[in-house]
Amino acid sequence: MALENSVFTLRPESLSLPVVEKGKVLVEEATEVMVSTGVFHVSEELGHVVTTDTAQPSANRSWKSKLAERQANAASDEYVKKLPRVMEKERGRFGWAKRRKRQRYVEKNGRCNVSHGNMRETYRYLTDIFTTLVDLNWRCSLFVFVMAYAITWLFFGAIWYLIAYLRGDLDHLEDETWTPCVNNVNGFISAFLFSIETETTIGYGYRVITDQCPVGTMLLLLQAILGSMVNAFMVGCMFVKISQPNKRAETLVFSKNAVISLRDDKLCLMFRVGDLRSSHIVGANMRAKLIKSKQTQEGEFIPLDQTDISVGFETGDDRLFLVSPLVISHEIDHRSPFWDMSQGQLEKDDFEVVVILEGMVEATGMTCQARSSYLADEVQWGHRFSPMMSLAEGFFDIDYGAFHQTFEVGTPSCSAHELSLTAARLEAHLYWSISSKLDEEKWEGSSLTNQSGKQLDNGKGGVVDH
């Protein structure tokens, strides 16, 4: 932000500052003024300059005025030093040159930012009505649950009332010689109560069906069967909805940031995952995907292309024993999509890494999936996760306060490809230097052998001549 009421001792002859209004860049130029001692103030919004002329300072100034002038000069010098950063922040504020923040494909809590629109074959939801009801929110699920029972009770209550009306039971309420279809049914309310007693198998004993009504007997069987089906269906939906493993994923946590640093002399992309519950995830499996748009060699644009990121599938490291928090590592090799990515390119790149943890809940035996994602600005180059495990008396203590903490480590800023080439050059140089030294020693040894042989031959020749 621009400094407000910053004081300068000298005012320039002209001042030109950018002004932004509603996304448009306007240039406002201050009028030329006389070259005289004055003060101008830069307000918080760039481009609004208020100029205040001051009188010429007197020759005999007090120490307070001199001190104020020095403070003003110091403030102006500090502002000039910070001006590039201030202008950069203002550009980001008004949208001049700030990089647009990427829209997440998967939120940090695992929710997918995908909206399905213009779906014309909505009847497919009815073909799997059970899953449709389970996927409804709680408000809709409770409404469907109540309406399912209320509609069936009202429907069969109306049929019981219609049978009593057609048989004339309502006209012989005071006739003791008349045998009705259902005893003590004298209106719709009593028929509705009898329907509830029949479907819920309450059986208070006041309203009972008689053997003089075969239609009522068939209706009783039909309502008992349909009532059992409604009970099984709705209770099953509510049980599955209550026991859904989605809430279990709330206790599976991922680190806020991913890091890139050296591990065993190789660049690795790492993130941390942990389980807050004491009941474990059985058969935990980790996967990772790179979400990044690309264009093929034929010119086809593929939005949000998904590329697998290996987290130990070949070695079995992707199968986790998630008793304590673990750091998941992806080795950046020639098969990795980050093979040619350096630190500078990471700051400019635009991608998203989606991590998926799957496993079976130990308590219920249902499959659970937890998801999270990391944008490019959430990947910290040259960092490492802080340790969070310590040894206590008889157990290992986990400090989840350090779960998201990282610290800087020495890491080369080049890509993994460049790092491997540099390592190969050093290895080749070392190999040739060692081989050259061995050859020199070999030639020196052979020359010494030849010289000694010649001396022996010369000595032998001298003895024979004598």
Side-chain angles (χ1 to χ4, degrees):
M1 294 177 60
L3 295 178
E4 187 174 1
N5 298 332
S6 298
V7 181
F8 294 79
T9 57
L10 295 179
R11 181 178 57 199
E13 295 183 0
S14 63
L15 179 65
S16 177
L17 289 174
V19 178
V20 177
E21 293 183 358
K22 297 181 180 180
K24 298 181 180 179
V25 180
L26 305 177
V27 179
E28 180 180 338
E29 297 183 357
T31 58
E32 297 184 358
V33 294
M34 299 175 59
V35 182
S36 61
T37 304
V39 179
F40 70 90
H41 307 279
V42 181
S43 65
E44 187 174 0
E45 303 242 346
L46 292 180
H48 297 277
V49 181
V50 180
T51 306
T52 304
D53 292 332
T54 58
Q56 292 287 340
S58 59
N60 298 324
R61 294 183 300 174
S62 62
W63 63 273
K64 292 184 179 180
S65 61
K66 293 181 180 179
L67 179 61
E69 184 179 357
R70 291 178 181 176
Q71 292 178 353
N73 291 335
S76 63
D77 294 339
E78 184 179 0
Y79 175 75
V80 170
K81 292 179 181 179
K82 294 183 178 180
L83 187 60
R85 288 180 291 177
V86 171
M87 294 298 293
E88 190 67 26
K89 291 182 180 179
E90 293 293 342
R91 289 193 185 99
R93 176 186 174 189
F94 293 107
W96 298 350
K98 187 177 180 179
R99 186 177 67 177
R100 183 175 62 88
K101 185 175 179 61
R102 177 188 174 94
Q103 175 64 47
R104 284 186 179 275
Y105 189 63
V106 177
E107 292 288 346
K108 298 294 285 185
N109 59 1
R111 185 178 63 87
C112 299
N113 286 327
V114 178
S115 177
H116 300 280
N118 197 19
M119 293 184 299
R120 301 178 180 178
E121 299 179 352
T122 55
Y123 66 90
R124 295 181 181 272
Y125 287 99
L126 299 178
T127 58
D128 188 12
I129 187 64
F130 186 84
T131 305
T132 302
L133 293 177
V134 171
D135 290 340
L136 292 176
N137 55 36
W138 274 106
R139 184 180 302 175
C140 295
S141 296
L142 292 176
F143 177 77
V144 172
F145 184 82
V146 172
M147 291 303 296
Y149 285 103
I151 289 174
T152 54
W153 294 340
L154 288 171
F155 175 73
F156 284 103
I159 295 179
W160 287 114
Y161 176 77
L162 182 61
I163 291 175
Y165 177 78
L166 294 177
R167 291 184 77 254
D169 295 341
L170 302 179
D171 298 332
H172 300 81
L173 295 178
E174 303 296 334
D175 190 359
E176 296 181 357
T177 60
W178 181 264
T179 304
C181 183
V182 180
N183 291 328
N184 300 316
V185 173
N186 53 11
F188 179 76
I189 299 300
S190 59
F192 176 70
L193 293 176
F194 178 73
S195 175
I196 296 177
E197 294 176 16
T198 302
E199 188 167 338
T200 57
T201 64
I202 295 177
Y204 290 114
Y206 182 70
R207 300 177 184 89
V208 293
I209 190 171
T210 62
D211 56 356
Q212 301 296 324
C213 184
V215 178
T217 305
M218 295 180 60
L219 182 61
L220 179 65
L221 295 175
L222 180 61
Q223 186 175 4
I225 295 173
L226 291 179
S228 300
M229 294 177 63
V230 171
N231 287 332
F233 189 81
M234 298 309 301
V235 172
C237 286
M238 297 302 293
F239 175 77
V240 172
K241 190 171 183 63
I242 292 173
S243 61
Q244 272 186 323
N246 296 339
K247 298 302 180 182
R248 179 63 177 89
E250 297 292 335
T251 54
L252 298 174
V253 292
F254 295 88
S255 58
K256 294 181 180 179
N257 296 288
V259 298
I260 293 180
S261 60
L262 289 175
R263 175 174 279 190
D264 295 332
D265 294 333
K266 295 181 181 178
L267 280 178
C268 295
L269 172 69
M270 294 172 285
F271 57 93
R272 181 180 273 170
V273 61
D275 188 5
L276 301 180
R277 287 189 178 274
S278 57
S279 60
H280 310 309
I281 297 294
V282 180
N285 183 30
M286 178 62 66
R287 293 185 293 129
K289 292 279 188 179
L290 174 65
I291 309 298
K292 183 179 181 181
S293 301
K294 74 172 185 178
Q295 189 172 6
T296 62
Q297 297 180 358
E298 294 78 14
E300 179 187 4
F301 179 74
I302 304 178
L304 301 178
D305 181 62
Q306 300 184 10
T307 305
D308 279 330
I309 299 177
S310 176
V311 289
F313 177 77
E314 297 83 0
T315 59
D317 293 337
D318 60 332
R319 294 185 289 273
L320 309 179
F321 182 52
L322 198 59
V323 177
S324 61
L326 299 176
V327 176
I328 310 301
S329 175
H330 162 65
E331 182 180 334
I332 303 178
D333 53 10
H334 65 281
R335 296 170 296 179
S336 172
F338 307 113
W339 177 238
D340 295 316
M341 185 183 68
S342 61
Q343 183 178 5
Q345 187 178 358
L346 173 63
E347 298 174 354
K348 302 176 183 179
D349 210 343
D350 187 13
F351 62 85
E352 182 176 359
V353 177
V354 178
V355 293
I356 305 170
L357 175 62
E358 292 179 332
M360 188 173 62
V361 182
E362 187 179 29
T364 61
M366 302 183 70
T367 303
C368 172
Q369 185 182 90
R371 298 179 295 266
S372 186
S373 67
Y374 301 99
L375 297 180
D377 55 357
E378 294 174 345
V379 179
Q380 298 178 338
W381 189 286
H383 282 248
R384 188 180 297 165
F385 286 106
S386 301
M388 53 183 301
M389 180 182 293
S390 60
L391 181 61
E393 292 186 9
F395 61 92
F396 293 94
D397 185 27
I398 307 298
D399 180 17
Y400 275 95
F403 184 82
H404 302 285
Q405 295 180 3
T406 61
F407 61 94
E408 294 185 7
V409 292
T411 305
S413 60
C414 62
S415 64
H417 190 187
E418 296 174 349
L419 186 63
S420 66
L421 292 177
T422 304
R425 294 192 193 100
L426 293 176
E427 185 178 357
H429 177 72
L430 181 62
Y431 171 78
W432 287 110
S433 61
I434 293 176
S435 61
S436 60
K437 290 182 179 179
L438 292 176
D439 292 339
E440 290 178 359
E441 293 177 357
K442 179 180 178 181
W443 284 107
E444 289 179 357
S446 61
S447 61
L448 291 174
T449 304
N450 294 332
Q451 290 179 2
S452 61
K454 289 181 180 179
Q455 291 177 359
L456 291 174
D457 293 339
N458 294 331
K460 291 179 180 180
V463 172
V464 171
D465 292 338
H466 183 73

